[in-house]
Amino acid sequence: MLRILLLVICSIFIFVNSTSSSLSVHDNFIRCLSQNSPPHLSISKILHVPSNSSYSYLLESFAQNLRFSSPITPKPLFIVTPLIDSHVSATVICCREVGLQIRIESAGHDYEGLSYTASLPFVVLNLINLTSISVDLEDNSAWVESGATVGELYYRIAEKSPVHGFPAGICPTVGVGGHITGGGFGTMLRKYGLAADNIIDAHIVDVNGRILDRESMGEALFWAIRGGGGASFCVVLSWKVKLVYVPPTVTVFSVARNIDQGGTKLVHKWQTIGPKFDENLFVRAIIDAADHGGNRTLKVTFNSLFLGKADKLLDIMNESFPEMGLKTNDCNEMSWIESVLYFSGYSEGSTIEVLRDRTPQRKNFFKAKSDFVKEPISESVLEELWKWCLEEEKPILIFDPFGGKMDDIPESEIPFPHRKGNLYNIQYLVQWYDSETAESTEKHIDWTRRLYEHMTPYVSSSPRAAYLNYRDLDLGSNGDDKTTTTNYHQTQSWGLMYFKDNFKRLAIVKGEVDPQNFFAFEQSIPPLILNEEERNRAKKKQMVWFY
Ligand SMILES: Cc1cc2nc3c(=O)[nH]c(=O)nc-3n(C[C@H](O)[C@H](O)[C@H](O)COP(=O)(O)OP(=O)(O)OC[C@H]3O[C@@H](n4cnc5c(N)ncnc54)[C@H](O)[C@@H]3O)c2cc1C
Ligand SMILES: *[C@@H]1O[C@H](CO)[C@@H](O)[C@H](O)[C@H]1NC(C)=O
Ligand SMILES: *[C@@H]1O[C@H](CO)[C@@H](O)[C@H](O)[C@H]1NC(C)=O
Ligand SMILES: *[C@@H]1O[C@H](CO)[C@@H](O)[C@H](O)[C@H]1NC(C)=O
Ligand SMILES: *[C@@H]1O[C@H](CO)[C@@H](O)[C@H](O)[C@H]1NC(C)=O
């Protein structure tokens, strides 16, 4: 019944653009929000409508991908910026009550803009005012609210200790909420795994507006939100993260070589040794185009963090990768928090205060895709890949090595399944800056699609694997189908790519906690509702824990 009601309300809203019906959804939402918020806090501070200047500020400053910041991008009816947890509950309850979609936004880095756009009438729940972080060194943990960025988390940890850190993403402006719930990896993944592997508790708001922790949500849901994409299940309010040890001195380097001056051979060898190095060593390879007085060539940059001192690093490299010719003066010793700045491209001399700055250094239009590589790619195929890159204006390929700790964690431990057997992850990224014509936008996107097609034989298959945090709607979409009949079998084509065998288990958890599919969006997990017999079978196979 609720489903039909929601459909009716939404349809009226879309098709009968009369002020009376849109006014009533509008007014009902506001009335509901006031009724469900604590009386001492007026909702006028947390509710933003298009006529408020804060509305466009919040939309524009958060949208990281300019592709979804155009006048034709669908905009929310309201943006709600909760100050306390019960505001989040109220927003969930009221979106359900009046039949509006909800979009949860922590820091807006979603590659396809799914945290701030939707095709049906919607509300953006923006967590900008839920950013507190408390670090507890004695417990080796920290509670961090979803609206904080990973840069703020790193900063708060470093403020208290030079030998503690957290293994999450490289870009400091990434939001803790979206990033961790999608997996999250950076320079310490070979030593400590993903951000989602290092979560010990969480607070959420469920579909009924209840505030729950690990114990009260149960292990099934707690499993699902660590890598399965929380927005399909609930709103994550905060995470309790496990701090990890970092040595007082780490070493970084960046060594660049032209592709046509031996670079290809280095990349070819890197494929087999990058994932096998000592787990304290992370060396990624970034391929991009360089201009030499009008001659365009490609270069590869080996960009590295070593959790230790330079002399030890030089020994390792001399032994395993002498071809690269790493020299003493390529190496920079520093603290771990300084290495965070180094990797995020801040200029030398920046203080760590910049990590508290939420605005990205620059924004652009972009499209990305991802792959996992299990067998080294031959030199001749690499050469072909470089030719593709020379066709595109600003292509970037990022090869992140796996192995180490990633090999030790079972595929079903959390929903992120890309573990043992993967040598490295590829991100194919194209960026463009000016607001070019729609035609040229199409041209850039088309390039990524053709390249992806071309790479099919050389990367993981059955399923071809993809990383959720590099979201790609080309893989498949639920479209506007926000009904409970969103078909599990139809969504398998992309679900298996992100989650492999964990997809079914995610769908079962979804069927348990949100059977009406309120938390629905283009790539949300569909509810798989089991009958009694299937439930018992699943239980026996320990596919899922029931309450
Ligand atoms: C410049 C840049 C650099 C990046 N670098 C890395 C990197 O080094 N490593 C890496 O692994 N990834 C990286 N990413 C990808 C990044 O991890 C994902 O885009 C991530 O989802 C961003 O989280 P967010 O909170 O900023 O985004 P948002 O757009 O706010 O959210 C992303 C998704 O998560 C959902 N969501 C957000 N908050 C919540 C919540 N509180 N509860 C439930 N659901 C929520 C949203 O609805 C949306 O579906 C990078 C992305 C960009 C743009
Ligand atoms: C939005 O505008 C209304 C009406 O002018 C005002 O009452 C409200 O406080 C504004 N909201 C915010 C968040 O500034
Ligand atoms: C919410 O966050 C915004 C942006 O950081 C800030 O300007 C505003 O003052 C905050 N609002 C409240 C009520 O704390
Ligand atoms: C550009 O390439 C041409 C042809 O290979 C070469 O002769 C020329 O020196 C190059 N210019 C620069 C600035 O490298
Ligand atoms: C590298 O190792 C070789 C022996 O394996 C040694 O002769 C050489 O001096 C080493 N070079 C450096 C820079 O340590």
Side-chain angles (χ1 to χ4, degrees), residues 7 190 194 325 546:
L7 279 177
R190 305 192 62 255
L194 308 169
F546 291 101

Side-chain angles (χ1 to χ4, degrees), residues 17-167:
N17 201 9
S18 83
T19 35
S20 66
S21 59
S22 61
L23 260 185
S24 70
V25 171
H26 188 273
D27 292 353
N28 283 338
F29 184 78
I30 296 177
R31 181 193 40 77
C32 176
L33 201 62
S34 309
Q35 280 171 358
N36 284 281
S37 298
H40 63 283
L41 283 168
S42 150
I43 64 161
S44 70
K45 281 208 170 63
I46 64 166
L47 188 69
H48 311 260
V49 297
S51 59
N52 291 120
S53 58
S54 52
Y55 174 96
S56 41
Y57 168 76
L58 287 166
L59 266 188
E60 281 156 26
S61 67
F62 272 73
Q64 296 301 309
N65 191 341
L66 295 177
R67 273 204 291 143
F68 307 105
S69 221
S70 88
I72 58 163
T73 307
K75 307 280 190 293
L77 288 181
F78 302 99
I79 301 174
V80 181
T81 50
L83 298 172
I84 49 175
D85 294 352
S86 65
H87 285 151
V88 177
S89 303
T91 310
V92 168
I93 290 167
C94 298
C95 283
R96 266 184 89 176
E97 187 175 309
V98 308
L100 290 168
Q101 296 284 303
I102 192 169
R103 285 293 181 271
I104 310 160
E105 183 170 38
S106 283
H109 285 56
D110 193 281
Y111 278 22
E112 299 280 10
L114 298 191
S115 52
Y116 50 89
T117 64
S119 48
L120 296 176
F122 69 108
V123 170
V124 168
L125 179 69
N126 182 316
L127 302 177
I128 176 68
N129 292 113
L130 293 179
T131 57
S132 80
I133 298 171
S134 58
V135 176
D136 181 350
L137 288 185
E138 256 161 52
D139 188 49
N140 229 11
S141 68
W143 273 104
V144 51
E145 286 187 305
S146 289
T149 62
V150 299
E152 288 165 333
L153 175 60
Y154 299 154
Y155 177 88
R156 290 296 169 204
I157 297 170
E159 195 180 45
K160 290 222 164 153
S161 161
V163 291
H164 287 78
F166 186 68

Side-chain angles (χ1 to χ4, degrees), residues 462-511:
S462 324
R464 183 172 186 173
Y467 175 34
L468 182 65
N469 268 344
Y470 300 158
R471 192 192 298 288
D472 179 4
L473 281 181
D474 294 346
L475 304 182
S477 167
N478 300 329
D480 282 346
D481 184 4
K482 304 291 161 29
T483 67
T484 47
T485 56
T486 303
N487 192 318
Y488 167 73
H489 299 283
Q490 281 161 10
T491 50
Q492 272 190 342
S493 58
W494 56 265
L496 292 174
M497 298 178 82
Y498 287 137
F499 305 113
K500 297 169 82 173
D501 288 345
N502 295 329
F503 182 55
K504 184 164 190 187
R505 192 160 149 188
L506 284 168
I508 294 172
V509 176
K510 170 78 174 180

Side-chain angles (χ1 to χ4, degrees), residues 200-201 213-226 413 505 509 544-547:
I200 40 193
D201 202 342
D213 65 3
R214 178 176 185 166
E215 201 185 332
S216 51
M217 80 177 86
E219 286 301 308
L221 182 53
F222 184 62
W223 174 83
I225 60 175
R226 286 174 294 153
E413 184 83 6
R505 192 160 149 188
V509 176
V544 71
W545 309 267
F546 291 101
Y547 305 97

Side-chain angles (χ1 to χ4, degrees), residues 267-479:
V267 175
H268 184 253
K269 176 152 187 196
W270 170 89
Q271 297 180 95
T272 45
I273 53 171
K276 294 252 159 58
F277 280 134
D278 178 317
E279 62 183 20
N280 290 304
L281 178 56
F282 170 89
V283 183
R284 63 175 177 165
I286 301 171
I287 289 93
D288 70 343
D291 253 320
H292 296 288
N295 292 347
R296 202 152 168 278
T297 54
L298 292 180
K299 69 173 191 321
V300 54
T301 306
F302 294 98
N303 187 211
S304 171
L305 172 71
F306 177 60
L307 295 167
K309 294 194 171 168
D311 48 0
K312 177 91 188 292
L313 171 63
L314 284 160
D315 284 347
I316 296 175
M317 294 302 282
N318 186 28
E319 188 176 318
S320 324
F321 205 6
E323 299 88 341
M324 207 181 82
L326 186 72
K327 295 190 197 63
T328 310
N329 54 13
D330 295 323
C331 299
N332 270 308
E333 289 187 339
M334 54 181 64
S335 65
W336 171 75
I337 196 70
E338 286 165 340
S339 81
V340 169
L341 290 192
Y342 178 86
F343 269 87
S344 47
Y346 283 104
S347 54
E348 235 172 283
S350 302
T351 66
I352 67 167
E353 295 297 320
V354 296
L355 295 175
R356 301 171 66 188
D357 185 356
R358 302 178 64 98
T359 33
Q361 299 185 76
R362 60 180 170 184
K363 277 195 199 179
N364 50 38
F365 299 77
F366 67 90
K367 171 71 192 166
K369 292 180 163 296
S370 64
D371 259 321
F372 286 89
V373 177
K374 298 186 153 194
E375 298 291 336
I377 296 175
S378 72
E379 272 185 54
S380 61
V381 172
L382 288 175
E383 302 277 5
E384 277 175 51
L385 181 54
W386 312 150
K387 279 197 198 121
W388 276 83
C389 290
L390 284 170
E391 272 179 28
E392 172 58 35
E393 246 161 87
K394 284 199 176 65
I396 300 185
L397 305 178
I398 303 171
F399 294 2
D400 279 316
F402 273 42
K405 176 81 177 175
M406 294 299 280
D407 285 354
D408 301 339
I409 300 176
E411 286 195 4
S412 60
E413 184 83 6
I414 64 169
F416 180 102
H418 317 293
R419 306 286 184 174
K420 198 177 167 85
N422 289 292
L423 297 175
Y424 59 100
N425 172 265
I426 303 183
Q427 180 174 193
Y428 312 92
L429 178 65
V430 333
Q431 302 169 293
W432 57 105
Y433 289 89
D434 36 4
S435 45
E436 295 174 47
T437 62
E439 232 169 68
S440 62
T441 293
E442 214 31 64
K443 199 184 71 194
H444 294 297
I445 295 177
D446 185 55
W447 178 82
T448 64
R449 291 181 180 150
R450 286 183 298 117
L451 174 58
Y452 188 73
E453 187 62 36
H454 172 79
M455 291 302 288
T456 310
Y458 315 114
V459 296
S460 68
S461 58
S462 324
R464 183 172 186 173
Y467 175 34
L468 182 65
N469 268 344
Y470 300 158
R471 192 192 298 288
D472 179 4
L473 281 181
D474 294 346
L475 304 182
S477 167
N478 300 329

